[in-house]
Amino acid sequence: MGKLPPDSFIKFPSGAEIHPWRLIHRDGTISWKQALIQSNGELHVPTSQAHEAHIIKTAQRIEELNCWVSQNLEPWEC
């Protein structure tokens, strides 16, 4: 299996280099691409570690809410 090109990763204020398709949480449903790219295709990378942490926490809350409201649904229905 080949490696992804280094220029396909986004550099975050924390120093992490993350691919846009990576999920924000390992068992989550929201990718970094969904969190950072606007509908016009413009990429907005966090400018501080606080912004980065806020995105992570917000994604976690959305995923928790999704689990709560979709308890009786199949995974593809939530």
Side-chain angles (χ1 to χ4, degrees), residues 24-44:
I24 296 175
H25 292 281
R26 184 173 33 183
D27 59 346
T29 57
I30 301 172
S31 71
W32 281 104
K33 180 181 181 194
Q34 293 167 313
L36 301 178
I37 297 181
Q38 289 188 338
S39 60
N40 65 2
E42 190 174 336
L43 176 68
H44 290 277

Side-chain angles (χ1 to χ4, degrees), residues 29-72:
T29 57
I30 301 172
S31 71
W32 281 104
K33 180 181 181 194
Q34 293 167 313
L36 301 178
I37 297 181
Q38 289 188 338
S39 60
N40 65 2
E42 190 174 336
L43 176 68
H44 290 277
V45 179
T47 56
S48 72
Q49 282 187 279
H51 292 149
E52 185 178 341
H54 182 69
I55 291 169
I56 293 167
K57 187 63 176 174
T58 301
Q60 180 183 15
R61 289 177 178 158
I62 291 170
E63 291 165 356
E64 288 170 355
L65 179 60
N66 186 35
C67 288
W68 178 70
V69 298
S70 61
Q71 291 178 26
N72 298 322

